[in-house]
Amino acid sequence: MEGWEGFSGINRGYVLELYERFRKDPSSVDPESRAIFEQWTPPADSAEPADASADVPARTAVAAVNLAQSIRRYGHLAAQLDPLGSKPPGDPTLLPETHGLTEDDLRRVPSSLISSPLNDQASNMQELVAAFRRVYCSTTGYDYAQVFVPAERDWLRQAAEDGRFREPADHIDPVALLDRLTQVEAFERFLHRTFPGKTRFSIEGLDVLVPILDEVIGEAGEAGIGSILVGMAHRGRLNVMAHVLCKPYEQILAEFKDPVSSRNFREDMAWTGDVKYHAGAHRAIKDGRAINLEVSMPPNPSHLEAVDPIVEGMARAAGTTTGQGGAPKFDPSRSVPILIHGDAAFPGQGIVAETLNLGRLNGWDTGGTIHIIANNQLGFTAGIRESYSTSYASGLARGFKIPIVHVNADDPAACVEVARLAFAYRAKFRRDFLIDLIGYRRWGHNEGDEPAFTQPMIVPENHGAPDGARNLGAPAGRTRPHPGG
């Protein structure tokens, strides 16, 4: 049959079933199929798969395929994304009994009905489903059903299932990762102890944001990117400026001393408002070799997302060349914009949607932006159900067909894998990618706040009394319901 190689899984099985009907009674198939089968016999390599599933009812095979596909699409609803341990919402389609299946049924169905790199590790559908759960229902939730371009969706699925960005295929140095997280936490603890009550919008609870940025910057350096523009509000900004942009500790600490006056008007303005670091910084990375990469963070006012279109414009300018005659030319491989959003600000401030809408328009396109939601599960003092109507803080991005990966901030290795995935997707397809980094907030909105007043303990659903919630050494008031509710 012409095009036989184009059939796979259950479709190939259906063709073989029609052929068996034809052999027994040619009149049992339609005339067009009969004309094809009169000149065609199944290839030799088709006999074994047909025999392997000969005793499996078609309904069972279809149900098993539907279960596996449901895990691919809705597995993020069963992933343990909340570091505080609240129960994920789940979904009935993720359960075998919803499809009328038992474990014995799954063991009888060949895994070859589903095309996946995980087939190398599975001999039947029960083993493949278990492998799918390890990928899609762990501490990472892949949420990309809204991506309508088949090539992009297939690439995302293959990347998740073949593990190309995680151990052992892509090594992660656990000692270096621990060392980096220790730097992040030690800096925050020093500030908290030395300047008690000072406003700093601590990164604590989302410490892994710094290694994520390290990973993206490292990938950009290896790819020959010349400029990275980072836009973010206040949460974690001090730590990012100290450890990602290498702003000297001495300068940061000097700004905490609040001088009574300053001869320099610009410095005096930098100390006005509710934070000390509206100003930005930049870092040129050399790392012992010739890498012409500059990482910049423009200043940002207290309107948290106001910097988004500024960063996009700077990235567009950085990637535009005017050295030749004619109109300026934009090269997306010259710059990468990274926008770090708050979990309440992302759905709550209209400038986010306005900026996303420019992402694929000619004249505004920047070759893809890497978005990171620094999701501490609180908006000022408002809870999730008081902040947005979508299931996740990232819900807005679905309307723009942006792939989303939710990841538990207490799993650093998973976060590093997602950072690699984000950069690789952006590099290949020149499209936006969103990381929903789900953590918590260790202190109040301002460190001078009393968490017991501003955000009293909110017990995750189905967790009973307050002592059923994990505390992780943080003050009361830090726990939040799961974002998938």
Side-chain angles (χ1 to χ4, degrees), residues 440-465:
Y440 55 87
R441 185 189 301 168
R442 186 173 291 276
W443 308 104
H445 177 70
N446 302 327
E447 283 68 31
D449 294 339
E450 169 50 56
F453 296 159
T454 63
Q455 54 198 68
M457 176 77 76
I458 301 175
V459 182
E461 290 183 0
N462 304 319
H463 271 241

Side-chain angles (χ1 to χ4, degrees), residues 64-369:
V65 169
N66 287 340
L67 171 62
Q69 296 287 31
S70 294
I71 294 173
R72 274 177 165 169
R73 181 163 186 170
Y74 302 114
H76 59 88
L77 295 174
Q80 187 55 59
L81 302 175
D82 186 1
L84 302 173
S86 60
K87 187 177 180 180
D91 189 89
T93 61
L94 303 176
L95 305 175
E97 50 266 33
T98 301
H99 302 272
L101 293 167
T102 66
E103 293 298 312
D104 287 339
D105 290 333
L106 290 172
R107 278 190 284 268
R108 293 168 54 204
V109 178
S111 61
S112 58
L113 294 182
I114 290 282
S115 176
S116 169
L118 292 169
N119 266 325
D120 295 339
Q121 310 167 24
S123 58
N124 56 55
M125 193 62 78
Q126 192 270 342
E127 294 178 358
L128 183 62
V129 164
F132 273 14
R133 292 192 192 280
R134 288 193 295 271
V135 171
Y136 292 104
C137 305
S138 58
T139 53
T140 305
Y142 296 92
D143 187 357
Y144 48 70
Q146 68 277 9
V147 178
F148 287 174
V149 180
E152 295 180 23
R153 193 170 58 247
D154 291 345
W155 184 89
L156 288 164
R157 184 179 68 239
Q158 291 286 323
E161 294 175 13
D162 66 19
R164 68 186 69 170
F165 299 115
R166 61 175 174 267
E167 294 279 6
D170 197 350
H171 178 61
I172 298 174
D173 186 342
V175 176
L177 188 54
L178 175 61
D179 183 62
R180 194 57 159 162
L181 290 171
T182 302
Q183 292 176 8
V184 171
E185 183 173 359
F187 179 66
E188 294 287 356
R189 290 195 177 193
F190 175 82
L191 291 178
H192 193 72
R193 183 177 65 250
T194 308
F195 303 100
K198 290 288 187 180
T199 300
R200 58 189 169 90
F201 295 108
S202 161
I203 200 175
E204 291 166 292
L206 291 168
D207 310 61
V208 77
L209 176 63
V210 170
I212 286 177
L213 292 174
D214 286 341
E215 197 68 30
V216 173
I217 291 169
E219 295 286 344
E222 292 182 4
I225 300 291
S227 178
I228 291 183
L229 289 306
V230 180
M232 67 181 299
H234 309 324
R235 179 70 52 194
R237 189 178 180 99
L238 281 178
N239 218 302
V240 170
M241 292 176 74
H243 294 120
V244 177
L245 285 86
C246 299
K247 182 174 181 177
Y249 289 143
E250 294 84 357
Q251 185 176 352
I252 293 175
L253 297 178
E255 292 174 2
F256 264 90
K257 294 182 179 180
D258 287 336
V260 176
S261 62
S262 171
R263 296 181 180 179
N264 187 307
F265 177 77
R266 185 174 180 182
E267 287 184 0
D268 188 56
M269 288 298 292
W271 277 309
T272 61
D274 61 345
V275 293
K276 301 173 178 61
Y277 39 88
H278 284 142
H282 71 275
R283 167 192 181 189
I285 299 178
K286 294 300 180 184
D287 194 25
R289 53 195 175 123
I291 296 180
N292 185 24
L293 172 61
E294 183 176 274
V295 184
S296 303
M297 179 187 291
N300 191 30
S302 289
H303 190 291
L304 304 184
E305 301 287 342
V307 77
D308 295 355
I310 305 298
V311 168
E312 298 292 349
M314 294 174 68
R316 177 80 185 190
T320 299
T321 59
T322 57
Q324 298 179 351
K329 295 181 180 179
F330 175 70
D331 181 359
S333 67
R334 293 170 61 93
S335 62
V336 175
I338 302 174
L339 293 179
I340 303 172
H341 310 271
D343 52 308
F346 187 81
Q349 296 195 357
I351 196 169
V352 177
E354 294 168 6
T355 304
L356 291 176
N357 188 57
L358 299 174
R360 299 189 182 186
L361 301 183
N362 187 31
W364 306 93
D365 178 20
T366 58
T369 299

Side-chain angles (χ1 to χ4, degrees), residues 6-28:
F7 293 101
S8 64
I10 200 167
N11 292 326
R12 181 173 287 194
Y14 178 67
V15 173
L16 294 174
E17 181 181 342
L18 285 179
Y19 181 74
E20 288 301 316
R21 290 185 196 173
F22 165 78
R23 287 182 58 199
K24 295 176 182 178
D25 181 8
S27 63
S28 65

